[in-house]
Amino acid sequence: MSTDPQPQARLFCRGGRLKGTTFNIQGAAVLGSDPNCQCRVDDPSVAAQHARLRWDADQDRFVLENLDSGQGTAVDGAMVRGERALDRLHVITLGDVSFVYQRTEVASVSPPPSPKTERLDSVPTIPVGLLAMEGRAEEPRWVLEVEIDGEWLRFDLSEGENRVGRVAADVVLPSREVSRNHALILVSGREVRIRDLGSTNFTFLNGERLLVETRVPLGGKLAFGPHPARIVAENN
């Protein structure tokens, strides 16, 4: 008989009145505000049966399905239309509630480990502007990295506008220190610019509060309120 670890998933709420709420999922579970849901999310913005998380053996990963949710389901800020296959680490948002999702593989007799993001020092990253300095021809893939509660979260940035906020944004940051519409990151080829959107706790670049749209320079240090951030480029 195989003794391979069993696939499991963990959802952990980091902010708001549900802060600390944790769900350990094996196989499948419905997430919603209905008391009969396997993972009850008691918040008025969450539908009775909001989303379903299930293991897909063919894809060898968990799949998130949006159900009858009025305010939608998002993964890393992108709304889920139908189903979305998940990697090992994401931010999942149901209505106004965000969870850190982590895929775990543990034996049935072992307790689930505490959540950890992927080690950033294991990912080959290139600071903003370095590709141009090296004279490379290929277009970079821009990634935003943000520290929240001691862990670094990573978000792929798309060409054009990338809205940063607490809910229903392209980049969802699960922190009450982040405004619903906090900042706008604009990607144009090799150039990245950033603009604050009237956030309560401000956006900073190299320790200075952003007052106008500004280009992010080589090695620029960002912050969304108290949360340090950086933008890096990776090879496509």
Side-chain angles (χ1 to χ4, degrees):
M1 180 179 295
S2 172
T3 57
D4 291 341
Q6 301 178 17
Q8 295 188 7
R10 188 171 192 256
L11 295 175
F12 180 71
C13 185
R14 291 194 163 279
R17 66 186 187 87
L18 297 181
K19 182 177 181 179
T21 300
T22 302
F23 300 114
N24 294 303
I25 300 168
Q26 182 174 333
V30 173
L31 294 81
S33 58
D34 192 305
N36 294 319
C37 288
Q38 293 94 330
C39 300
R40 187 189 182 194
V41 184
D42 188 14
D43 188 90
S45 69
V46 176
Q49 294 190 347
H50 199 106
R52 179 184 292 111
L53 189 63
R54 62 178 177 83
W55 174 251
D56 189 313
D58 292 335
Q59 299 188 61
D60 192 33
R61 63 185 61 200
F62 278 93
V63 172
L64 181 67
E65 178 186 1
N66 181 53
L67 299 177
D68 187 20
S69 60
Q71 295 202 36
T73 303
V75 175
D76 298 337
M79 301 303 291
V80 175
R81 311 295 181 187
E83 293 186 347
R84 163 75 185 269
L86 302 177
D87 294 322
R88 290 190 172 273
L89 186 69
H90 294 284
V91 174
I92 293 177
T93 304
L94 311 175
D96 292 337
V97 183
S98 292
F99 291 89
V100 175
Y101 161 89
Q102 184 190 20
R103 160 84 180 275
T104 58
E105 289 183 346
V106 297
S108 59
V109 296
S110 301
S114 58
K116 294 182 180 178
T117 58
E118 60 183 301
R119 288 180 56 85
L120 294 180
D121 55 10
S122 67
V123 181
T125 59
I126 304 173
V128 170
L130 189 55
L131 288 178
M133 292 175 61
E134 294 181 348
R136 300 192 181 189
E138 68 268 23
E139 292 293 335
R141 179 170 67 90
W142 297 111
V143 177
L144 174 68
E145 299 174 345
V146 185
E147 184 182 22
I148 296 182
D149 292 341
E151 298 181 6
W152 286 88
L153 304 180
R154 291 166 48 85
F155 304 89
D156 289 334
L157 298 176
S158 303
E159 182 75 11
E161 295 185 350
N162 298 265
R163 190 173 297 270
V164 179
R166 191 172 69 250
V167 294
D170 301 302
V171 175
V172 175
L173 301 181
S175 168
R176 297 195 66 82
E177 303 296 329
V178 175
S179 298
R180 293 176 66 92
N181 292 292
H182 197 105
L184 189 67
I185 298 174
L186 302 102
V187 176
S188 179
R190 292 171 176 269
E191 183 177 73
V192 178
R193 304 181 70 85
I194 188 166
R195 179 198 313 160
D196 186 75
L197 297 178
S199 62
T200 300
N201 292 318
F202 313 125
T203 304
F204 300 89
L205 176 60
N206 293 330
E208 299 290 333
R209 177 186 169 189
L210 279 181
L211 299 177
V212 296
E213 183 179 307
T214 305
R215 183 180 67 85
V216 181
L218 173 65
K221 297 180 180 179
L222 294 169
F224 301 103
H227 301 296
R230 59 200 179 205
I231 296 175
V232 298
E234 299 180 351
N235 292 328
N236 281 312

